[in-house]
Amino acid sequence: MKDRISAYDVAEKAGVSQSTVSRVLNNYPFMKETTRKKVLTAIEELGFTRDEIARSLASKKTRTIGLILGDITNPFFSESAKVITRKAQEMDYNVILCNTNHSEENLNKYIQTLMGKRVDGIIVASADKDNQKIKELYDKGFPIILYNSIMEHDHANYIAVNNYKGAQLAVEHLYHFNHREISYIAGPSKYVTTHLRNLGFKDALDKFGLKMNEKFIYDREFSYDEVYLFAKNLLNQQSRPTSFFASSDQMALAVLDAAASEGISVPEQLSVIGFDDIDLAKNQFIGLTTITQPKEKMAMLTLEKLVSLIEEKEHVDAPIQIVLEPELISRKTTGIYKS
Amino acid sequence: MKDRISAYDVAEKAGVSQSTVSRVLNNYPFMKETTRKKVLTAIEELGFTRDEIARSLASKKTRTIGLILGDITNPFFSESAKVITRKAQEMDYNVILCNTNHSEENLNKYIQTLMGKRVDGIIVASADKDNQKIKELYDKGFPIILYNSIMEHDHANYIAVNNYKGAQLAVEHLYHFNHREISYIAGPSKYVTTHLRNLGFKDALDKFGLKMNEKFIYDREFSYDEVYLFAKNLLNQQSRPTSFFASSDQMALAVLDAAASEGISVPEQLSVIGFDDIDLAKNQFIGLTTITQPKEKMAMLTLEKLVSLIEEKEHVDAPIQIVLEPELISRKTTGIYKS
């Protein structure tokens, strides 16, 4: 413990953060000469040598966190990232963001890169159900948390919304608005998040005695252009759906885009409901009905828990597994279906 | 040069990338045993020792690029980042993203962090006019490029759109649609980008003999909530503007939000034009009239030029200074003003 205390002491005595102490000892560029001197003086006055402190710091933290996103252009992810970086800055952590474009190969590569850059912990915001690298890190006790995703694994840490229930709320809302023909932009089941929403959707249909029309289900990778074409094509058919439930607000926007291109008015002729409650959904010019994820709360909690793991305030043998409740927010894009 | 050639040779002989060679020698986790063996065998067969190659690589590149964004939730930035990361992956570079939340203090901190993580080069997507750290890096010949921003400095590298002209196009469009009372969401002049747009706006007003109404100008930091309140307040006044020009599409969305909250219909009662042409502007449900930045082209060019600098294909004493042409795209949110 002596080493640890010494580094804290130097920082405190010099009136700077520990990372500043580290920067001085690592000869970082852009260091104010006065700051540098303050740190070196503090080390001397406390009776340590420069090398002693440098060694103690070498084994320690970088105060850098990695945050891996599936698609940086999906506002749900970018808005979450903004909350996490802002909160991290307050806690004197830097956040390094990586964008995988929903490729597992990229995800694995970025985990490797982040480990190489010696981050203290990692938040993964979209992961394939059975990703092996993440499981390896869990097993090693490395601080890593899934955001908006869960993983079936003894040591898995995750913070997510109840995706199963969210999908049920969406179907329930449309059903009560008299919709019986529901198209579902599901996304691929390989992600835990979409997998659970898909189960929730199917069970809700069963509950209301509705049949699933396979032609109304989009289960390929999320792609704005492809979802746009899928919706446009469906809307051109004689027996078209009266409503769409999209597994993300971004995909709901693609459906609205397709409806507008066909001159179909929302909600008079078509109801559309999304998932996520991105900031844009609240925009009254758009007013997207959606299932809310408590994004701000989820993001803050994820960062706090990760920092606890990094600073060893929580034991890794008691995994962090938190599931929050979603809520339906009815706005302008859904309405009662009149046959 | 011998060292350099040796690392290339090992990679080629083993049929892997140079970064894989580096990973093997640095004992990265998650390395396939077969890949590891292939690399070690190649080193042996070429008559090198493991240490020789490790030393040669130690002085070399990390194949990692830093990309600093002002606001990750502004789609212009996230969409640009997506293009850059995708293109970088093709070129076997990793991209580390940082989000400054438009704070110069954070910008400086992230530059320091990225240097500490030994990135090969940096792209800065929003910078204050006179940032000293960036100038220092230019002077040192470190590979750094401004994206969507210019800087008056002998060694500055930048790729941007003609922001001055873009603002003029916007005013011209509104003027031809009979608008004489134009509110302008300008943003602060401390950024080069907004500074130039502000000049373009003022000169265009002069050109058409229009007077600038100071009350119609928003020149504080970009904040969705504040722009929303500013617009809502203006729209409540007796002598309200007939149109808004917003210096970013994101801020134009805040204006549309405010108009909808006041029950003002667009474009019948109010015209709104943005800047950037984010993907959402093209969405036909929204159809935002805007000034396009050739985002895809700008982003690709920026990455290519940065890699050229890193790989020393271009000389640093001939700075890269490229200004592309903007274009007006008229969609659904602007119309002829009928008094």
Side-chain angles (χ1 to χ4, degrees):
Chain A
M1 286 307 283
K2 192 231 172 196
D3 275 352
R4 185 163 183 182
I5 293 165
S6 67
Y8 270 101
D9 285 353
V10 171
E12 207 185 353
K13 185 157 185 84
V16 300
S17 68
Q18 274 197 81
S19 43
T20 302
V21 175
S22 160
R23 281 182 199 126
V24 170
L25 294 173
N26 285 304
N27 297 316
Y28 271 60
F30 314 130
M31 183 59 65
K32 264 198 216 150
E33 192 48 33
T34 50
T35 310
R36 214 178 63 83
K37 279 212 176 124
K38 248 193 285 181
V39 170
L40 295 177
T41 308
I43 291 173
E44 210 184 316
E45 288 183 7
L46 287 168
F48 296 111
T49 68
R50 198 186 143 112
D51 277 352
E52 256 181 307
I53 304 293
R55 263 198 311 278
S56 92
L57 278 165
S59 63
K60 285 190 53 253
K61 312 298 190 205
T62 59
R63 298 198 80 81
T64 307
I65 286 168
L67 170 54
I68 302 179
L69 308 172
D71 177 5
I72 195 182
T73 64
N74 180 338
F76 174 72
F77 290 123
S78 58
E79 290 162 14
S80 300
K82 189 173 183 171
V83 175
I84 289 171
T85 52
R86 202 186 52 219
K87 176 85 181 165
Q89 277 148 9
E90 285 168 25
M91 299 173 86
D92 197 22
Y93 276 88
N94 288 316
V95 180
I96 287 178
L97 300 163
C98 304
N99 183 39
T100 68
N101 286 328
H102 282 310
S103 137
E104 189 167 21
E105 193 191 329
N106 288 335
L107 171 64
N108 292 341
K109 215 168 72 177
Y110 276 117
I111 289 180
Q112 210 162 41
T113 300
L114 290 172
M115 298 301 285
K117 302 287 177 207
R118 306 204 177 286
V119 295
D120 297 338
I122 296 179
I123 298 170
V124 180
S126 30
D128 295 49
K129 262 189 293 200
D130 292 309
N131 186 284
Q132 289 306 315
K133 296 229 182 313
I134 294 175
K135 288 187 178 169
E136 281 172 33
L137 290 179
Y138 279 138
D139 288 334
K140 281 185 190 165
F142 181 80
I144 179 166
I145 297 193
L146 292 191
Y147 174 79
N148 178 41
S149 209
I150 73 167
M151 190 174 267
E152 285 177 17
H153 186 274
D154 285 347
H155 306 136
N157 302 308
Y158 54 76
I159 293 175
V161 83
N162 187 334
N163 285 296
Y164 176 85
K165 186 174 163 196
Q168 289 198 308
L169 290 175
V171 174
E172 202 173 283
H173 175 72
L174 293 173
Y175 184 83
H176 288 145
F177 273 4
N178 236 2
H179 293 277
R180 300 294 176 263
E181 301 291 339
I182 304 170
S183 169
Y184 178 37
I185 309 297
S189 271
K190 65 175 179 168
Y191 306 119
V192 196
T193 312
T194 42
H195 172 67
L196 292 171
R197 291 179 193 174
N198 298 355
L199 287 180
F201 176 78
K202 282 173 192 161
D203 286 355
L205 286 190
D206 281 351
K207 181 177 153 194
F208 295 114
L210 299 178
K211 265 190 209 149
M212 191 163 82
N213 185 341
E214 290 292 346
K215 282 184 195 153
F216 285 2
I217 311 292
Y218 175 93
D219 59 6
R220 298 196 303 280
E221 192 60 67
F222 285 127
S223 147
Y224 190 97
D225 293 345
E226 291 204 19
V227 167
Y228 174 82
L229 290 174
F230 174 83
K232 200 171 160 79
N233 179 45
L234 267 194
L235 292 171
N236 260 314
Q237 304 198 353
Q238 197 135 28
S239 61
R240 70 184 197 204
T242 64
S243 60
F244 278 81
F245 165 39
S247 195
S248 85
D249 285 350
Q250 202 189 22
M251 294 303 119
L253 288 168
V255 173
L256 290 173
D257 194 353
S261 81
E262 293 295 325
I264 292 170
S265 60
V266 172
E268 295 78 6
Q269 298 171 282
L270 185 75
S271 283
V272 178
I273 178 169
F275 203 119
D276 289 341
D277 199 25
I278 60 174
D279 289 346
L280 200 68
K282 299 175 187 75
N283 186 312
Q284 296 155 90
F285 188 71
I286 296 155
L288 179 65
T289 296
T290 191
I291 304 298
T292 181
Q293 307 211 52
K295 192 178 55 197
E296 181 102 8
K297 189 176 167 190
M298 263 170 73
M300 301 272 269
L301 207 53
T302 304
L303 185 72
E304 278 165 19
K305 290 294 181 186
L306 184 69
V307 169
S308 290
L309 287 176
I310 290 170
E311 298 177 358
E312 290 170 19
K313 286 175 195 151
E314 308 215 12
H315 289 289
V316 196
D317 49 279
I320 294 157
Q321 302 186 339
I322 298 172
V323 177
L324 301 168
E325 287 308 300
E327 220 175 295
L328 179 117
I329 301 181
S330 185
R331 297 198 180 99
K332 286 164 54 180
T333 58
T334 48
I336 295 170
Y337 174 66
K338 300 179 186 90
S339 54
Chain B
M1 285 307 283
K2 193 231 171 195
D3 275 352
R4 183 162 184 184
I5 292 164
S6 66
Y8 271 102
D9 285 353
V10 171
E12 207 185 354
K13 185 158 185 86
V16 300
S17 68
Q18 274 198 81
S19 43
T20 301
V21 175
S22 160
R23 281 182 199 128
V24 169
L25 294 173
N26 285 303
N27 296 316
Y28 271 61
F30 316 131
M31 182 60 63
K32 264 199 218 152
E33 191 49 33
T34 49
T35 309
R36 215 178 64 83
K37 279 211 176 127
K38 246 193 285 181
V39 171
L40 295 177
T41 308
I43 291 173
E44 209 183 318
E45 288 184 6
L46 286 168
F48 296 111
T49 68
R50 198 185 142 112
D51 279 350
E52 256 181 306
I53 303 294
R55 264 197 311 280
S56 92
L57 279 165
S59 63
K60 286 189 55 251
K61 310 298 189 205
T62 59
R63 298 197 81 81
T64 307
I65 285 168
L67 170 54
I68 301 179
L69 308 172
D71 177 5
I72 195 182
T73 65
N74 179 339
F76 174 73
F77 290 125
S78 59
E79 289 162 13
S80 300
K82 188 173 184 172
V83 175
I84 289 171
T85 52
R86 201 186 54 218
K87 177 83 182 167
Q89 277 148 9
E90 285 168 25
M91 298 172 86
D92 197 23
Y93 276 88
N94 288 317
V95 180
I96 286 178
L97 300 163
C98 304
N99 182 40
T100 67
N101 285 330
H102 282 309
S103 137
E104 189 167 23
E105 192 192 329
N106 288 336
L107 171 64
N108 293 341
K109 215 168 73 176
Y110 275 118
I111 289 180
Q112 210 162 41
T113 301
L114 290 172
M115 299 300 286
K117 302 286 178 207
R118 305 204 178 286
V119 296
D120 297 339
I122 295 178
I123 298 170
V124 180
S126 30
D128 295 47
K129 262 188 293 196
D130 293 309
N131 186 284
Q132 288 306 316
K133 295 230 182 312
I134 294 175
K135 288 187 178 169
E136 280 171 34
L137 290 179
Y138 279 139
D139 288 334
K140 282 185 189 165
F142 181 82
I144 179 165
I145 297 192
L146 292 190
Y147 174 79
N148 179 41
S149 209
I150 74 167
M151 190 173 267
E152 283 177 18
H153 186 273
D154 286 347
H155 306 136
N157 301 308
Y158 54 77
I159 292 176
V161 83
N162 187 334
N163 286 296
Y164 176 85
K165 187 174 163 194
Q168 289 198 309
L169 290 175
V171 175
E172 203 173 284
H173 175 72
L174 293 173
Y175 184 83
H176 288 144
F177 272 4
N178 235 2
H179 293 278
R180 300 294 178 263
E181 301 291 338
I182 303 171
S183 169
Y184 177 36
I185 309 297
S189 271
K190 65 175 179 165
Y191 306 120
V192 195
T193 311
T194 42
H195 172 67
L196 291 172
R197 290 180 193 175
N198 298 355
L199 287 181
F201 176 78
K202 282 172 192 163
D203 287 354
L205 287 190
D206 282 351
K207 181 177 154 193
F208 294 115
L210 299 178
K211 265 189 208 149
M212 192 163 81
N213 184 340
E214 290 292 346
K215 284 184 195 153
F216 285 2
I217 311 291
Y218 176 94
D219 59 6
R220 299 195 303 278
E221 192 61 67
F222 285 126
S223 146
Y224 190 96
D225 293 345
E226 291 204 18
V227 168
Y228 173 83
L229 290 174
F230 174 83
K232 200 172 161 78
N233 179 44
L234 267 194
L235 291 171
N236 260 313
Q237 305 200 353
Q238 197 136 29
S239 62
R240 69 184 199 206
T242 65
S243 58
F244 278 80
F245 165 40
S247 195
S248 85
D249 285 350
Q250 202 189 22
M251 294 303 118
L253 288 168
V255 173
L256 291 173
D257 195 351
S261 81
E262 293 295 324
I264 293 170
S265 60
V266 173
E268 295 78 5
Q269 298 171 280
L270 186 76
S271 282
V272 179
I273 179 168
F275 204 118
D276 290 341
D277 200 25
I278 60 175
D279 290 345
L280 200 68
K282 298 176 187 74
N283 185 312
Q284 296 155 89
F285 187 71
I286 296 155
L288 180 65
T289 295
T290 191
I291 304 297
T292 180
Q293 307 211 51
K295 193 178 53 198
E296 181 103 8
K297 190 176 166 190
M298 264 171 71
M300 301 272 269
L301 207 52
T302 304
L303 185 72
E304 278 166 20
K305 291 294 180 184
L306 184 69
V307 169
S308 291
L309 287 177
I310 290 170
E311 298 177 357
E312 289 170 22
K313 286 173 195 150
E314 308 216 11
H315 289 288
V316 196
D317 49 278
I320 294 158
Q321 302 186 339
I322 299 171
V323 177
L324 301 169
E325 287 308 300
E327 218 175 295
L328 178 117
I329 301 180
S330 185
R331 297 198 179 99
K332 286 163 55 181
T333 58
T334 48
I336 294 170
Y337 173 67
K338 299 180 186 90
S339 53

